[in-house]
């Protein structure tokens, strides 16, 4: 299952909801949303600084992650960023794949 790192910052309205529900209440809400789309929650951490909450979740496909992202952003309670995470095997597979790429301004093949 694809794994995602989600970083979120609460708006004032979202922070008020957190104060009412507590961290446990928000984790339960996250687990309900994620499991409802066939995913699992690996980790939930609250943080200081730019992001208020950091999650690692697994979804059956990227479309499920997009659906959650759209619903959460539409609520106006959080600003989020989802980053796909790759395992070691996936990166090893990427390394083995041939990619034909020419950097901008780099010379092309002879005679081109």
């Amino acid at each position: 299952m694809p794994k995602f790192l989600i970083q979120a910052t609460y708006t004032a309205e979202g922070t008020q909801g957190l104060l009412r529900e507590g961290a446990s209440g928000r984790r339960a809400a996250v687990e309900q949303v994620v499991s409802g789309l066939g995913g699992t929650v690996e980790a939930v951490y609250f943080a200081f600084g730019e992001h208020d909450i950091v999650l690692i979740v697994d979804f059956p496909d990227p479309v499920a992650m997009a659906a959650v992202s759209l619903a959460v952003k539409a609520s106006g309670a959080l600003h989020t960023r989802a980053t796909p995470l790759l395992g070691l095997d996936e990166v090893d597979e990427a390394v083995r794949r041939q990619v034909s790429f020419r950097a901008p301004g780099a010379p092309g093949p002879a005679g081109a």
Side-chain angles (χ1 to χ4, degrees):
M1 255 197 276
K3 189 177 293 288
F4 296 89
L5 166 68
I6 301 171
Q7 298 165 291
T9 303
Y10 284 104
T11 63
E13 180 182 336
T15 301
Q16 290 171 5
L18 172 64
L19 290 170
R20 282 191 303 273
E21 295 182 33
S24 300
R26 293 315 308 153
R27 179 172 179 127
V30 167
E31 287 180 344
Q32 180 180 3
V33 168
V34 173
S35 66
L37 289 169
T40 57
V41 177
E42 182 177 315
V44 176
Y45 294 99
F46 284 84
F48 299 109
E50 183 179 353
H51 304 290
D52 297 317
I53 187 169
V54 179
L55 307 98
I56 298 177
V57 298
D58 296 296
F59 279 111
D61 53 58
V63 175
M65 178 67 249
V68 170
S69 180
L70 290 169
V72 169
K73 288 180 181 191
S75 78
L78 297 123
H79 299 287
T80 64
R81 178 193 315 190
T83 304
L85 300 175
L86 300 173
L88 300 176
D89 292 342
E90 292 169 304
V91 174
D92 285 344
E93 175 61 28
V95 168
R96 288 190 288 273
R97 293 191 185 185
Q98 295 295 316
V99 177
S100 178
F101 172 74
R102 183 185 61 77

